[in-house]
mmCIF file of all heavy atoms in Angstrom:
data_model
loop_
_atom_site.group_PDB
_atom_site.id
_atom_site.type_symbol
_atom_site.label_atom_id
_atom_site.label_comp_id
_atom_site.label_asym_id
_atom_site.label_seq_id
_atom_site.Cartn_x
_atom_site.Cartn_y
_atom_site.Cartn_z
ATOM 1 N N ALA I 1044 80.180 -37.602 36.707
ATOM 2 C CA ALA I 1044 79.502 -38.803 37.205
ATOM 3 C C ALA I 1044 78.465 -39.269 36.191
ATOM 4 O O ALA I 1044 77.577 -38.497 35.815
ATOM 5 C CB ALA I 1044 78.836 -38.514 38.540
ATOM 6 N N PRO I 1045 78.568 -40.514 35.737
ATOM 7 C CA PRO I 1045 77.597 -41.013 34.747
ATOM 8 C C PRO I 1045 76.235 -41.320 35.351
ATOM 9 O O PRO I 1045 75.248 -41.466 34.632
ATOM 10 C CB PRO I 1045 78.267 -42.287 34.223
ATOM 11 C CG PRO I 1045 79.126 -42.751 35.359
ATOM 12 C CD PRO I 1045 79.596 -41.513 36.053
ATOM 13 N N PHE I 1046 76.188 -41.430 36.681
ATOM 14 C CA PHE I 1046 74.944 -41.690 37.412
ATOM 15 C C PHE I 1046 75.190 -41.312 38.860
ATOM 16 O O PHE I 1046 76.335 -41.010 39.254
ATOM 17 C CB PHE I 1046 74.500 -43.152 37.287
ATOM 18 C CG PHE I 1046 75.635 -44.146 37.371
ATOM 19 C CD1 PHE I 1046 76.234 -44.457 38.594
ATOM 20 C CD2 PHE I 1046 76.128 -44.756 36.219
ATOM 21 C CE1 PHE I 1046 77.271 -45.352 38.677
ATOM 22 C CE2 PHE I 1046 77.180 -45.661 36.302
ATOM 23 C CZ PHE I 1046 77.758 -45.960 37.524
ATOM 24 N N ASP I 1047 74.154 -41.288 39.660
ATOM 25 C CA ASP I 1047 74.347 -41.037 41.089
ATOM 26 C C ASP I 1047 75.238 -42.143 41.640
ATOM 27 O O ASP I 1047 74.906 -43.335 41.540
ATOM 28 C CB ASP I 1047 73.009 -41.040 41.826
ATOM 29 C CG ASP I 1047 72.145 -39.847 41.472
ATOM 30 O OD1 ASP I 1047 72.664 -38.922 40.818
ATOM 31 O OD2 ASP I 1047 70.961 -39.838 41.849
ATOM 32 N N CYS I 1048 76.378 -41.760 42.216
ATOM 33 C CA CYS I 1048 77.367 -42.775 42.573
ATOM 34 C C CYS I 1048 78.177 -42.350 43.792
ATOM 35 O O CYS I 1048 78.031 -41.231 44.298
ATOM 36 C CB CYS I 1048 78.309 -43.025 41.391
ATOM 37 S SG CYS I 1048 79.251 -41.554 40.902
ATOM 38 N N PHE I 1049 79.021 -43.259 44.228
ATOM 39 C CA PHE I 1049 80.004 -42.936 45.254
ATOM 40 C C PHE I 1049 81.335 -43.572 44.864
ATOM 41 O O PHE I 1049 81.390 -44.515 44.066
ATOM 42 C CB PHE I 1049 79.556 -43.407 46.641
ATOM 43 C CG PHE I 1049 79.431 -44.901 46.781
ATOM 44 C CD1 PHE I 1049 80.498 -45.666 47.238
ATOM 45 C CD2 PHE I 1049 78.242 -45.545 46.466
ATOM 46 C CE1 PHE I 1049 80.382 -47.037 47.377
ATOM 47 C CE2 PHE I 1049 78.115 -46.915 46.611
ATOM 48 C CZ PHE I 1049 79.197 -47.665 47.055
ATOM 49 N N ILE I 1050 82.413 -43.022 45.418
ATOM 50 C CA ILE I 1050 83.749 -43.500 45.098
ATOM 51 C C ILE I 1050 84.013 -44.790 45.865
ATOM 52 O O ILE I 1050 84.013 -44.805 47.095
ATOM 53 C CB ILE I 1050 84.824 -42.458 45.455
ATOM 54 C CG1 ILE I 1050 84.500 -41.113 44.806
ATOM 55 C CG2 ILE I 1050 86.201 -42.945 45.049
ATOM 56 C CD1 ILE I 1050 84.455 -41.129 43.306
ATOM 57 N N SER I 1051 84.216 -45.859 45.132
ATOM 58 C CA SER I 1051 84.488 -47.145 45.765
ATOM 59 C C SER I 1051 85.984 -47.400 45.893
ATOM 60 O O SER I 1051 86.428 -48.011 46.867
ATOM 61 C CB SER I 1051 83.838 -48.279 44.968
ATOM 62 O OG SER I 1051 84.139 -49.534 45.533
ATOM 63 N N ASP I 1052 86.755 -46.924 44.929
ATOM 64 C CA ASP I 1052 88.199 -47.142 44.982
ATOM 65 C C ASP I 1052 88.902 -46.017 44.226
ATOM 66 O O ASP I 1052 88.371 -45.488 43.234
ATOM 67 C CB ASP I 1052 88.570 -48.490 44.369
ATOM 68 C CG ASP I 1052 89.850 -49.067 44.959
ATOM 69 O OD1 ASP I 1052 90.562 -48.321 45.672
ATOM 70 O OD2 ASP I 1052 90.137 -50.249 44.710
ATOM 71 N N ILE I 1053 90.107 -45.645 44.693
ATOM 72 C CA ILE I 1053 90.908 -44.575 44.087
ATOM 73 C C ILE I 1053 92.261 -45.173 43.716
ATOM 74 O O ILE I 1053 92.958 -45.711 44.574
ATOM 75 C CB ILE I 1053 91.088 -43.397 45.063
ATOM 76 C CG1 ILE I 1053 89.720 -42.836 45.471
ATOM 77 C CG2 ILE I 1053 91.953 -42.309 44.431
ATOM 78 C CD1 ILE I 1053 89.804 -41.772 46.556
ATOM 79 N N PHE I 1054 92.606 -45.083 42.421
ATOM 80 C CA PHE I 1054 93.832 -45.718 41.945
ATOM 81 C C PHE I 1054 94.991 -44.740 41.758
ATOM 82 O O PHE I 1054 96.148 -45.163 41.675
ATOM 83 C CB PHE I 1054 93.560 -46.430 40.612
ATOM 84 C CG PHE I 1054 92.402 -47.385 40.660
ATOM 85 C CD1 PHE I 1054 91.316 -47.213 39.813
ATOM 86 C CD2 PHE I 1054 92.371 -48.432 41.558
ATOM 87 C CE1 PHE I 1054 90.243 -48.094 39.846
ATOM 88 C CE2 PHE I 1054 91.310 -49.316 41.603
ATOM 89 C CZ PHE I 1054 90.235 -49.142 40.750
ATOM 90 N N LYS I 1055 94.703 -43.461 41.632
ATOM 91 C CA LYS I 1055 95.734 -42.456 41.395
ATOM 92 C C LYS I 1055 95.577 -41.310 42.388
ATOM 93 O O LYS I 1055 94.599 -41.237 43.129
ATOM 94 C CB LYS I 1055 95.657 -41.925 39.965
ATOM 95 C CG LYS I 1055 95.903 -42.976 38.890
ATOM 96 C CD LYS I 1055 97.324 -43.519 38.949
ATOM 97 C CE LYS I 1055 97.564 -44.581 37.892
ATOM 98 N NZ LYS I 1055 98.948 -45.109 37.942
ATOM 99 N N ASN I 1056 96.561 -40.397 42.352
ATOM 100 C CA ASN I 1056 96.543 -39.228 43.229
ATOM 101 C C ASN I 1056 96.678 -37.949 42.412
ATOM 102 O O ASN I 1056 97.186 -37.962 41.276
ATOM 103 C CB ASN I 1056 97.691 -39.296 44.242
ATOM 104 C CG ASN I 1056 97.588 -40.495 45.157
ATOM 105 O OD1 ASN I 1056 96.544 -40.739 45.756
ATOM 106 N ND2 ASN I 1056 98.669 -41.256 45.248
ATOM 107 N N SER I 1057 96.216 -36.873 42.974
ATOM 108 C CA SER I 1057 96.368 -35.567 42.326
ATOM 109 C C SER I 1057 97.848 -35.294 42.083
ATOM 110 O O SER I 1057 98.704 -35.587 42.923
ATOM 111 C CB SER I 1057 95.779 -34.471 43.207
ATOM 112 O OG SER I 1057 94.381 -34.640 43.356
ATOM 113 N N GLY I 1058 98.161 -34.732 40.899
ATOM 114 C CA GLY I 1058 99.540 -34.418 40.533
ATOM 115 C C GLY I 1058 100.204 -35.483 39.692
ATOM 116 O O GLY I 1058 101.238 -35.221 39.058
ATOM 117 N N GLU I 1059 99.659 -36.696 39.662
ATOM 118 C CA GLU I 1059 100.257 -37.765 38.859
ATOM 119 C C GLU I 1059 99.959 -37.561 37.385
ATOM 120 O O GLU I 1059 98.925 -37.004 36.993
ATOM 121 C CB GLU I 1059 99.723 -39.129 39.309
ATOM 122 C CG GLU I 1059 100.229 -39.597 40.654
ATOM 123 C CD GLU I 1059 99.866 -41.046 40.920
ATOM 124 O OE1 GLU I 1059 100.173 -41.902 40.058
ATOM 125 O OE2 GLU I 1059 99.280 -41.327 41.978
ATOM 126 N N ILE I 1060 100.906 -38.032 36.537
ATOM 127 C CA ILE I 1060 100.716 -38.032 35.097
ATOM 128 C C ILE I 1060 100.049 -39.343 34.708
ATOM 129 O O ILE I 1060 100.501 -40.427 35.112
ATOM 130 C CB ILE I 1060 102.058 -37.894 34.351
ATOM 131 C CG1 ILE I 1060 102.800 -36.628 34.803
ATOM 132 C CG2 ILE I 1060 101.839 -37.886 32.846
ATOM 133 C CD1 ILE I 1060 102.083 -35.345 34.470
ATOM 134 N N VAL I 1061 98.990 -39.263 33.956
ATOM 135 C CA VAL I 1061 98.263 -40.468 33.533
ATOM 136 C C VAL I 1061 98.142 -40.489 32.021
ATOM 137 O O VAL I 1061 98.143 -39.444 31.359
ATOM 138 C CB VAL I 1061 96.858 -40.531 34.172
ATOM 139 C CG1 VAL I 1061 96.953 -40.712 35.671
ATOM 140 C CG2 VAL I 1061 96.042 -39.299 33.829
ATOM 141 N N SER I 1062 98.043 -41.680 31.517
ATOM 142 C CA SER I 1062 97.812 -41.872 30.088
ATOM 143 C C SER I 1062 96.333 -42.105 29.842
ATOM 144 O O SER I 1062 95.593 -42.503 30.750
ATOM 145 C CB SER I 1062 98.623 -43.064 29.571
ATOM 146 O OG SER I 1062 100.002 -42.892 29.809
ATOM 147 N N ALA I 1063 95.925 -41.876 28.616
ATOM 148 C CA ALA I 1063 94.531 -42.119 28.263
ATOM 149 C C ALA I 1063 94.185 -43.582 28.510
ATOM 150 O O ALA I 1063 94.956 -44.484 28.151
ATOM 151 C CB ALA I 1063 94.300 -41.758 26.797
ATOM 152 N N GLY I 1064 93.061 -43.808 29.143
ATOM 153 C CA GLY I 1064 92.611 -45.169 29.413
ATOM 154 C C GLY I 1064 93.132 -45.767 30.704
ATOM 155 O O GLY I 1064 92.731 -46.878 31.071
ATOM 156 N N MET I 1065 93.995 -45.059 31.426
ATOM 157 C CA MET I 1065 94.534 -45.576 32.683
ATOM 158 C C MET I 1065 93.493 -45.384 33.788
ATOM 159 O O MET I 1065 93.063 -44.263 34.050
ATOM 160 C CB MET I 1065 95.826 -44.846 33.037
ATOM 161 C CG MET I 1065 96.535 -45.391 34.266
ATOM 162 S SD MET I 1065 98.094 -44.507 34.575
ATOM 163 C CE MET I 1065 99.062 -45.048 33.156
ATOM 164 N N PRO I 1066 93.076 -46.452 34.494
ATOM 165 C CA PRO I 1066 92.041 -46.325 35.529
ATOM 166 C C PRO I 1066 92.474 -45.382 36.655
ATOM 167 O O PRO I 1066 93.612 -45.457 37.129
ATOM 168 C CB PRO I 1066 91.881 -47.756 36.057
ATOM 169 C CG PRO I 1066 92.373 -48.631 34.954
ATOM 170 C CD PRO I 1066 93.487 -47.862 34.315
ATOM 171 N N VAL I 1067 91.558 -44.533 37.057
ATOM 172 C CA VAL I 1067 91.836 -43.624 38.174
ATOM 173 C C VAL I 1067 90.829 -43.792 39.315
ATOM 174 O O VAL I 1067 91.166 -43.567 40.477
ATOM 175 C CB VAL I 1067 91.861 -42.150 37.708
ATOM 176 C CG1 VAL I 1067 93.024 -41.910 36.776
ATOM 177 C CG2 VAL I 1067 90.544 -41.747 37.054
ATOM 178 N N LEU I 1068 89.587 -44.175 38.990
ATOM 179 C CA LEU I 1068 88.542 -44.305 40.005
ATOM 180 C C LEU I 1068 87.640 -45.489 39.693
ATOM 181 O O LEU I 1068 87.451 -45.851 38.520
ATOM 182 C CB LEU I 1068 87.670 -43.048 40.067
ATOM 183 C CG LEU I 1068 88.300 -41.733 40.509
ATOM 184 C CD1 LEU I 1068 87.317 -40.591 40.293
ATOM 185 C CD2 LEU I 1068 88.720 -41.805 41.967
ATOM 186 N N LEU I 1069 87.083 -46.064 40.749
ATOM 187 C CA LEU I 1069 86.017 -47.050 40.589
ATOM 188 C C LEU I 1069 84.764 -46.446 41.194
ATOM 189 O O LEU I 1069 84.723 -46.103 42.378
ATOM 190 C CB LEU I 1069 86.357 -48.357 41.296
ATOM 191 C CG LEU I 1069 85.264 -49.441 41.270
ATOM 192 C CD1 LEU I 1069 84.970 -49.870 39.837
ATOM 193 C CD2 LEU I 1069 85.658 -50.649 42.114
ATOM 194 N N LEU I 1070 83.733 -46.290 40.377
ATOM 195 C CA LEU I 1070 82.465 -45.716 40.813
ATOM 196 C C LEU I 1070 81.425 -46.815 40.942
ATOM 197 O O LEU I 1070 81.368 -47.735 40.124
ATOM 198 C CB LEU I 1070 81.972 -44.670 39.813
ATOM 199 C CG LEU I 1070 82.921 -43.528 39.446
ATOM 200 C CD1 LEU I 1070 82.236 -42.591 38.454
ATOM 201 C CD2 LEU I 1070 83.362 -42.777 40.686
ATOM 202 N N LYS I 1071 80.614 -46.699 41.970
ATOM 203 C CA LYS I 1071 79.497 -47.619 42.133
ATOM 204 C C LYS I 1071 78.219 -46.818 42.297
ATOM 205 O O LYS I 1071 78.211 -45.764 42.937
ATOM 206 C CB LYS I 1071 79.715 -48.532 43.336
ATOM 207 C CG LYS I 1071 80.854 -49.518 43.122
ATOM 208 C CD LYS I 1071 80.992 -50.499 44.257
ATOM 209 C CE LYS I 1071 82.111 -51.504 43.982
ATOM 210 N NZ LYS I 1071 82.273 -52.463 45.086
ATOM 211 N N GLN I 1072 77.194 -47.338 41.729
ATOM 212 C CA GLN I 1072 75.906 -46.645 41.749
ATOM 213 C C GLN I 1072 75.369 -46.561 43.171
ATOM 214 O O GLN I 1072 75.406 -47.531 43.925
ATOM 215 C CB GLN I 1072 74.906 -47.370 40.852
ATOM 216 C CG GLN I 1072 73.577 -46.663 40.705
ATOM 217 C CD GLN I 1072 72.648 -47.399 39.768
ATOM 218 O OE1 GLN I 1072 72.826 -48.583 39.513
ATOM 219 N NE2 GLN I 1072 71.663 -46.695 39.246
ATOM 220 N N GLU I 1073 74.898 -45.382 43.514
ATOM 221 C CA GLU I 1073 74.243 -45.217 44.816
ATOM 222 C C GLU I 1073 72.997 -46.095 44.850
ATOM 223 O O GLU I 1073 72.129 -45.995 43.989
ATOM 224 C CB GLU I 1073 73.840 -43.756 45.040
ATOM 225 C CG GLU I 1073 75.008 -42.836 45.336
ATOM 226 C CD GLU I 1073 75.423 -42.890 46.796
ATOM 227 O OE1 GLU I 1073 74.955 -43.801 47.505
ATOM 228 O OE2 GLU I 1073 76.212 -42.033 47.210
ATOM 229 N N GLY I 1074 72.913 -46.955 45.862
ATOM 230 C CA GLY I 1074 71.751 -47.830 45.957
ATOM 231 C C GLY I 1074 71.706 -48.849 44.854
ATOM 232 O O GLY I 1074 70.659 -49.430 44.593
ATOM 233 N N GLY I 1075 72.846 -49.081 44.247
ATOM 234 C CA GLY I 1075 72.870 -49.956 43.086
ATOM 235 C C GLY I 1075 73.307 -51.367 43.364
ATOM 236 O O GLY I 1075 73.749 -52.053 42.452
ATOM 237 N N TYR I 1076 73.234 -51.813 44.618
ATOM 238 C CA TYR I 1076 73.617 -53.179 44.925
ATOM 239 C C TYR I 1076 72.408 -54.108 44.899
ATOM 240 O O TYR I 1076 71.276 -53.694 45.135
ATOM 241 C CB TYR I 1076 74.260 -53.273 46.307
ATOM 242 C CG TYR I 1076 75.688 -52.803 46.336
ATOM 243 C CD1 TYR I 1076 76.060 -51.748 47.150
ATOM 244 C CD2 TYR I 1076 76.657 -53.407 45.553
ATOM 245 C CE1 TYR I 1076 77.375 -51.310 47.189
ATOM 246 C CE2 TYR I 1076 77.964 -52.978 45.578
ATOM 247 C CZ TYR I 1076 78.319 -51.937 46.399
ATOM 248 O OH TYR I 1076 79.614 -51.499 46.430
ATOM 249 N N LYS I 1077 72.693 -55.351 44.634
ATOM 250 C CA LYS I 1077 71.671 -56.383 44.731
ATOM 251 C C LYS I 1077 72.263 -57.576 45.463
ATOM 252 O O LYS I 1077 73.484 -57.772 45.487
ATOM 253 C CB LYS I 1077 71.180 -56.801 43.346
ATOM 254 C CG LYS I 1077 72.260 -57.411 42.464
ATOM 255 C CD LYS I 1077 71.697 -57.865 41.132
ATOM 256 C CE LYS I 1077 72.808 -58.502 40.275
ATOM 257 N NZ LYS I 1077 72.263 -59.046 38.999
ATOM 258 N N ALA I 1078 71.410 -58.330 46.084
ATOM 259 C CA ALA I 1078 71.819 -59.555 46.767
ATOM 260 C C ALA I 1078 71.278 -60.737 45.978
ATOM 261 O O ALA I 1078 70.090 -60.777 45.641
ATOM 262 C CB ALA I 1078 71.277 -59.580 48.194
#
């Protein structure tokens, strides 16, 4: 985790073969929203 965060979206599943640079997760900063 690059910062305190939570999982916003999951693009892959355990067991899948992935290539370098292929998105697997979307992380959002905890308390990191603004209006």
Side-chain angles (χ1 to χ4, degrees):
F1046 40 76
D1047 291 349
C1048 61
F1049 64 92
I1050 307 299
S1051 177
D1052 208 348
I1053 301 173
F1054 307 121
K1055 298 295 179 180
N1056 298 309
S1057 296
E1059 289 190 53
I1060 304 296
V1061 294
S1062 302
M1065 185 178 292
V1067 294
L1068 295 171
L1069 176 62
L1070 306 181
K1071 292 185 178 179
Q1072 185 178 20
E1073 287 278 12
Y1076 282 120
K1077 62 177 181 176

